[in-house]
Amino acid sequence: MSMELRGLNSSSRNNSLEGNRSESFSEDRDQEAISETGCLSIIVLGASGDLAKKKTFPALFNLFRQGFLQSNEVHIFGYARTKISDDEFRERIQGFLSQGKGASAEHTEDLLTFFQLIKYVNGSYDSEEGFLLLNKEISEHESSKNSEPGTARRLFYLALPPSVYPSVCKMIRRYCMNRSDLGGWTRIVVEKPFGKDLDSAEELSTQLGELFDEQQLYRIDHYLGKELVQNLLVLRFANRFFVPLWNRDNIDNVQIVFREDFGTEGRGGYFDQYGIIRDIIQNHLLQVLCLVAMEKPVSLKPEHIRDEKVKVLQSVLPIKYEEVVLGQYEGYRDDPTVSDSSNTPTFATVVLRIHNERWEGVPFILKAGKALNSRKAEIRVQFKDVPGDIFKCKKQGRNEFVIRLQPSEAMYMKLTVKKPGLDMSTIQSELDLSYGLRYQDVTIPEAYERLILDTIRGDQQHFVRRDELKAAWEIFTPLLHSIDAGELKPLSYPPGSRGPAEADELLARAGYVQTHGYIWIPPTL
């Protein structure tokens, strides 16, 4: 595929997701971003690591293929300690860029063109020599594009452990900053975990805050880039029938669930430092909770949206330990990188309660676990029973609105209908919007594609602000310290199960009524 054809495709994507978005509220922002002047340098630090190979570079390649990264203005730099050549680095990432794409001539041509945009730089994360060399390579690229001083754009993606963030950011600040007084900018993307508790998170925020403005920092949480998560604001505030229903008068409880059907899979040593609450609940699931529970923002400006999310977090009451169930799957400690006396939970159910007018008395149940009997992430909003049940159908289950985040993206409303036939009997069924069926011609972008593109555009809506991060850690730090001190012990559960039975008992005490005899089956073509 030629570059001219790729540019044509990128500007006339009538059937693509971005084409649909360009007809919506984001049209002005998209046009503004595309028309920015100055060449773009994307620097991936930790380029030889798993995150960069599996997520960052595939996302950049897909953005390139869709025309969002143009070869005449962008250059990509990989920086890491591993001593390899440009060609060796390209070989290392090639397999991750070709997964599921086949060996078409078009894909091969795109891959070869993309590889010409990549330069690998070797250096350590705390020495000036490496970063001076990196800055020299970036500056040479900018000069080759005839960029006016101060107009170039530099995006640093830290695919690194948080322990090296301070030293790397100091090096970037000292040796690799771009002048921003003439329209250019320098932006920093940092990955979770942002600390291990409130104090460490605040220390890290202070260290980065001394080097960069908040507008330059993009704390990425890839859950905020998922299609169905991004749909939450539209669902809640663009549909009239949800407005009177979305409150404590009608909703009995809300579950936000993350389940994996495999264990730590060789990451036991890393996972054992954090556990399921730090790894999943305190960030991913709590971010989803904010979007489910927040009030309507004044506008769609990023700061207005993030203001409302912070208000939700500040309204969460202290966690009651009797509303927490921890678990650890049998065999977890068999991993040689995990301590034989590890108290780290691989499963947790935590009930959060929001003290405000909309949600008083409604439990928000956050549940996450590894080595369970299924893999899924979903939001399950359960409504209260119908008063005056003349059909005697309460035992069949309650109305539920379910948003399936992954896999098989969908949203469906569970409701009671008349069972077809001569008898006046009822049955549970659903109104179903399954994305694979409804949007057959649309490829749903990966979360990292969206978030990297948002960073280039300067849109911080789907990134975590410093006060938001602090409020999130304030909720969970007391519980985490109790777990770390051994005051709360995880219950053992067999791999392939639902988790500890006590978790289901906690759900029942919180008010959740399980539907028996009904299973949602994703529709097929």
Side-chain angles (χ1 to χ4, degrees), residues 15 41 54 58 77 155 168 171-172 176 183 228 239 259 261-262 322 324 326 359 391 411 418 421 454 467 471 493 521:
N15 292 324
S41 298
K54 294 178 180 179
F77 299 86
L155 170 59
V168 168
M171 293 293 116
I172 294 172
C176 298
L228 272 295
N239 294 286
R259 303 167 65 90
D261 56 2
F262 53 88
E322 60 267 26
V324 176
L326 306 175
W359 298 114
F391 293 102
M411 58 185 76
K418 178 185 175 299
D454 281 346
D467 57 342
Y493 65 93
I521 301 175

Side-chain angles (χ1 to χ4, degrees), residues 33 61 63 71 81 129 154 158 172 185 241-242 272 303 329 356 387 399 412 414 481 509-510 521:
F61 180 52
L63 289 174
S71 60
R81 291 175 296 196
E129 291 83 6
R154 297 185 178 186
L158 274 58
I172 294 172
W185 46 254
F241 69 89
F242 277 129
D272 201 55
E303 294 313 309
Y329 67 84
N356 64 19
N399 295 146
Y412 59 95
K414 285 173 55 178
H481 283 178
R509 292 200 306 272
I521 301 175

